[in-house]
Amino acid sequence: MIYLDKIYKQSDMSWFTPVELFKPWYAHGIAEAIMRTANLSVPLKIYEIGGGSGTCAKGIMDYIMLNAPTRVYNNMTYTSVEISPSLAEIQRQTVGEVRSHQSKFSVECRDAADLSGWGEVKEQPCWVIMLEVLDNLPHDLIYSENQVSSWMEVWVEKQLERESLVELYKPLQDPLIKRCVEIVNFNENDQAKSSLLSKAKGVWSRAFPKPRKCWLPTGCLNLLEVLHRVLPKMSLIASDFSYLPDVRIAGERAPLVSTKAHGSSSDYESYLDAKGDADIFFPTDFLLLEQIDHYCSGWLKLHGDKPKTGKKRRTIILDTSSFMEEFGLPSKTRLKDGYNPLLDDFKNTKFYLSVPTHNIK
């Protein structure tokens, strides 16, 4: 902890991702999960969304070079889809430290959620990796006067006579928000089918109504719709925060909004106060992520949907410690007293694995 405190104070980073803190072992665990699950009789194709400094890419390619059959490494391609030009250049430098990686690695500097950037549909099996991407994707806020009233969109407006921004409430119109609300409602109804507690809550909400706010992962829905359209045979590995401590902002799935000064962080009471120098982290509801994945793959159908074809995907949600015990090398990060930060820290993170059933025998 003293070491971590020191490197945070020396850096402009608000926080370091696990793949950075535990390099190369964190990336090696992901590579092992891919190797155990992939069909290695076809060329291995990996996409990483938001690859940071390239640590994950280099770690995975190193592991495959050392542990997979030579032909798997020789025929593989690893594409980083990175929106930041400066990070894209850092990734090229990081991966390029190993000369044999250079011909297999490429960076496409674009927004992964923009359908036009992907070109034609790619029918080959591939892997998509997203580490700490979901927590930074755009979210939409909706509001309800009470637990039984209809949801409304929240708009933010700068009014001339006021210094601060204000919220306005309007009827649901945005088609992306509408789809996301339907998936959320489907998910909540599915969980509540056999729950006496949910019925009691329904009675309670009518007797004691109170305003409700809900943050929707519309950016995640948009990204997965694009990925499933252009990469219909993709397998997905995503890792992110399942909950965030000490969140002060109101609403279900509310974000942590913080700023860093002089090596220490402070949290905002309202997202409206953040003026561009703040980091925003959203927790990921992994059961909702699973439903969004099933919806975007064409298997889950909502009310009013056009007929869709899609097979149910095979999915699993794992705590990071369970994932690393299964696929990683925890002995490499065990301390002298037996404590293992790879397993014992980051208790608020999970992995989501999703593979198409037609890739499984």
Side-chain angles (χ1 to χ4, degrees):
M1 296 307 293
I2 293 170
Y3 169 74
L4 276 181
D5 187 56
K6 180 181 176 182
I7 61 173
Y8 273 120
K9 285 182 176 174
Q10 291 173 344
S11 170
D12 292 331
M13 300 285 288
S14 293
W15 71 293
F16 288 98
T17 59
V19 76
E20 295 283 352
L21 288 176
F22 302 116
K23 64 182 178 184
W25 314 115
Y26 195 90
H28 286 189
I30 295 169
E32 175 63 21
I34 291 173
M35 281 178 54
R36 282 198 216 169
T37 316
N39 177 4
L40 298 179
S41 65
V42 298
L44 180 60
K45 196 172 186 65
I46 299 173
Y47 294 94
E48 185 179 1
I49 312 296
S53 63
T55 298
C56 181
K58 182 178 182 297
I60 287 175
M61 295 184 77
D62 286 350
Y63 188 87
I64 292 172
M65 178 178 68
L66 294 171
N67 295 282
T70 304
R71 61 173 175 77
V72 173
Y73 174 71
N74 288 343
N75 294 329
M76 76 174 291
T77 57
Y78 195 115
T79 305
S80 173
V81 182
E82 176 57 62
I83 200 168
S84 162
S86 58
L87 284 176
E89 184 55 38
I90 291 170
Q91 289 170 26
R92 290 188 188 98
Q93 293 172 9
T94 301
V95 178
E97 291 172 6
V98 179
R99 184 172 295 180
S100 62
H101 291 350
Q102 294 175 4
S103 62
K104 302 164 182 60
F105 179 78
S106 62
V107 184
E108 297 179 1
C109 199
R110 58 183 176 85
D111 180 2
D114 181 356
L115 181 64
S116 63
W118 287 94
E120 294 182 354
V121 173
K122 298 156 180 66
E123 293 289 349
Q124 307 92 338
C126 65
W127 283 84
V128 174
I129 300 170
M130 298 192 295
L131 305 182
E132 288 76 43
V133 169
L134 301 175
D135 62 81
N136 287 134
L137 289 179
H139 283 59
D140 275 284
L141 180 59
I142 54 175
Y143 169 83
S144 173
E145 290 182 351
N146 54 59
Q147 300 96 314
V148 292
S149 295
S150 298
W151 287 111
M152 303 182 79
E153 295 177 0
V154 178
W155 289 54
V156 176
E157 188 177 78
K158 179 77 168 72
Q159 295 182 339
L160 291 175
E161 68 277 9
R162 299 182 63 166
E163 284 278 326
S164 58
L165 299 166
V166 295
E167 291 183 348
L168 302 176
Y169 307 125
K170 300 183 180 183
L172 288 187
Q173 291 181 318
D174 188 304
L176 187 63
I177 294 177
K178 284 183 171 181
R179 290 200 300 279
C180 206
V181 168
E182 275 209 72
I183 297 169
V184 169
N185 288 341
F186 182 94
N187 191 46
E188 289 176 351
N189 293 338
D190 196 45
Q191 291 174 359
K193 278 178 184 174
S194 59
S195 172
L196 291 172
L197 180 63
S198 66
K199 294 176 182 176
K201 283 182 178 177
V203 173
W204 184 264
S205 65
R206 286 173 175 78
F208 302 99
K210 65 176 182 178
R212 219 181 143 196
K213 284 186 173 182
C214 179
W215 296 85
L216 297 173
T218 42
C220 171
L221 173 58
N222 181 45
L223 177 58
L224 285 181
E225 283 183 331
V226 168
L227 292 176
H228 275 290
R229 185 179 298 184
V230 296
L231 306 172
K233 294 183 180 177
M234 75 161 178
S235 298
L236 174 67
I237 295 183
S239 175
D240 231 300
F241 300 105
S242 54
Y243 72 91
L244 294 167
D246 306 320
V247 172
R248 300 180 181 181
I249 292 167
E252 298 170 40
R253 293 181 291 275
L256 185 67
V257 183
S258 66
T259 189
K260 184 180 177 184
H262 311 299
S264 60
S265 296
S266 58
D267 298 338
Y268 286 98
E269 299 282 347
S270 167
Y271 73 96
L272 295 172
D273 298 333
K275 301 291 185 183
D277 61 345
D279 281 309
I280 303 179
F281 304 99
F282 284 90
T284 296
D285 180 337
F286 277 81
L287 290 175
L288 177 57
L289 171 62
E290 184 179 48
Q291 295 288 55
I292 292 172
D293 187 28
H294 286 318
Y295 169 78
C296 295
S297 71
W299 178 76
L300 176 66
K301 296 167 181 63
L302 302 175
H303 177 71
D305 270 352
K306 295 177 182 176
K308 297 193 290 184
T309 58
K311 295 182 180 179
K312 187 172 184 178
R313 295 171 67 80
R314 298 179 77 168
T315 60
I316 188 169
I317 299 166
L318 293 170
D319 293 331
T320 295
S321 58
S322 300
F323 179 91
M324 288 300 168
E325 283 178 333
E326 177 65 31
F327 299 111
L329 292 166
S331 62
K332 298 292 187 180
T333 54
R334 189 175 296 121
L335 306 186
K336 290 177 182 177
D337 65 353
Y339 181 79
N340 195 328
L342 180 65
L343 304 181
D344 300 327
D345 289 348
F346 295 97
K347 289 289 189 184
N348 60 335
T349 61
K350 292 182 187 292
F351 271 85
Y352 176 71
L353 281 73
S354 167
V355 299
T357 51
H358 46 77
N359 275 8
I360 302 297
K361 291 182 181 178

